[in-house]
């Protein structure tokens, strides 16, 4: 039989303390942190099925949705519900949570089965994102909502503006159409304003037109992306009250 959680805590006390310093939170109950770092492959190999981080991952997923949602609600009180939902999804999806996990070297502290360890499991986005959610679940169990909120504000806030801009550009055309249809019952038109550069490296300038006015201009190496950028510029103009 493999080591139980209590035995793992005793064996890994120095490593757990090092991780606490990285995330700047000291656990009252180290067993919670240790469990958050035990992947199911490790527990299964050692005959400890069920003594892994999966239930803490479930809890952390729900807590992150709540805390990030509340943070965005307060930060962007005028943002539409659909935009808030998309921004929250961009912040709590697998790739971003794995990025957050890498920022605190989470992979170095995971207990993995031999097979997962040998196949670069410590750097797999799926394992890292689940581990990160489990750690958030453990922090919630140990320190409550306010403690998680402080951690989320520290680690997520710097990413919010970047994710917001990426999301706004990627989704700009559909949102611009929604806004204009809702306000004026009309859709924007897109046209090529200019093409520059050699055929294999063209730069397109696209104009988003509405009722004879240029609402926004966008430049990119493809017409599709230039249209999205033009729409994003138009949305900014609309938010500034220029129409």
């Amino acid at each position: 039989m493999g080591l139980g959680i209590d035995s793992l805590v005793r064996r890994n006390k120095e490593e757990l303390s090092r991780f606490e310093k990285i995330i700047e939170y000291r656990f009252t109950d180290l067993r919670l942190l240790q469990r958050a770092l035990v992947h199911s492959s490790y527990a299964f190999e050692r005959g400890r099925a069920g003594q892994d981080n999966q239930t803490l991952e479930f809890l952390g997923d729900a807590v992150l949705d709540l805390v990030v949602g509340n943070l965005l609600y307060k930060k962007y009180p005028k943002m539409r519900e659909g935009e808030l939902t998309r921004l929250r999804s961009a912040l709590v999806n697998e790739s971003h949570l794995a990025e957050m996990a890498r920022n605190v070297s989470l992979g170095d502290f995971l207990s993995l089965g031999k097979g997962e360890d040998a196949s670069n499991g410590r750097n797999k986005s799926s394992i890292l994102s689940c581990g990160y959610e489990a750690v958030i679940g453990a922090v919630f169990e140990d320190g409550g909502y306010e403690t998680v909120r402080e951690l989320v504000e520290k680690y997520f806030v710097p990413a919010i503006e970047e994710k917001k801009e990426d999301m706004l550009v990627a989704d700009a055309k559909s949102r611009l159409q929604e806004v204009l249809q809702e306000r004026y019952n009309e859709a924007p038109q897109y046209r090529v304003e200019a093409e520059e550069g050699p055929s294999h490296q063209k730069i397109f300038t696209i104009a988003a037109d509405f009722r004879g006015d240029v609402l926004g201009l966008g430049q990119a190496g493809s017409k599709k992306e230039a249209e999205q950028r033009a729409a994003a510029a138009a949305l900014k103009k609309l938010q500034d009250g220029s129409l």
Side-chain angles (χ1 to χ4, degrees), residues 216-231:
L217 291 172
Q219 274 193 337
S222 73
K223 288 181 182 178
K224 184 177 179 182
E225 188 179 345
E227 285 179 356
Q228 294 284 16
R229 291 180 182 276

Side-chain angles (χ1 to χ4, degrees), residues 3-10 30-32 34-35 38 51-52:
L3 294 173
I5 296 296
D6 288 335
S7 299
L8 282 173
V9 168
R10 288 193 293 271
L30 264 180
R31 291 174 300 177
L32 284 166
Q34 179 59 76
R35 186 160 189 157
V38 175
Q51 291 194 20
D52 54 42

Side-chain angles (χ1 to χ4, degrees), residues 128-144:
L128 288 173
S129 62
C130 291
Y132 194 86
E133 286 176 331
V135 168
I136 292 294
V139 171
F140 178 75
E141 275 288 273
D142 193 71

Side-chain angles (χ1 to χ4, degrees), residues 88-100:
R88 182 180 61 185
S89 295
L91 290 165
V92 300
N93 67 19
E94 181 181 293
S95 63
H96 186 244
L97 291 183
E99 182 185 328
M100 295 290 98

Side-chain angles (χ1 to χ4, degrees), residues 71-176:
L71 178 65
L72 295 175
Y73 169 77
K74 289 179 176 174
K75 189 173 176 64
Y76 303 112
K78 295 182 179 179
M79 189 178 279
R80 293 151 67 97
E81 182 218 354
E83 293 170 356
L84 287 168
T85 299
R86 286 190 287 270
L87 183 51
R88 182 180 61 185
S89 295
L91 290 165
V92 300
N93 67 19
E94 181 181 293
S95 63
H96 186 244
L97 291 183
E99 182 185 328
M100 295 290 98
R102 292 184 183 101
N103 288 344
V104 294
S105 303
L106 179 64
D108 295 346
F109 299 91
L110 291 172
S111 296
L112 299 178
K114 290 176 183 176
E116 281 292 359
D117 209 359
S119 62
N120 197 31
R122 293 183 189 281
N123 198 40
K124 284 182 183 174
S125 290
S126 56
I127 290 176
L128 288 173
S129 62
C130 291
Y132 194 86
E133 286 176 331
V135 168
I136 292 294
V139 171
F140 178 75
E141 275 288 273
D142 193 71
Y145 179 89
E146 280 303 309
T147 306
V148 174
R149 184 187 61 76
E150 288 171 12
L151 281 178
V152 165
E153 286 196 348
K154 178 180 176 182
Y155 290 109
F156 279 71
V157 166
I160 286 177
E161 282 303 320
E162 176 193 338
K163 297 289 179 184
K164 179 171 174 261
E165 289 308 308
D166 289 349
M167 180 199 77
L168 289 177
V169 170
D171 198 34
K173 278 186 72 177
S174 59
R175 289 187 308 109
L176 180 62

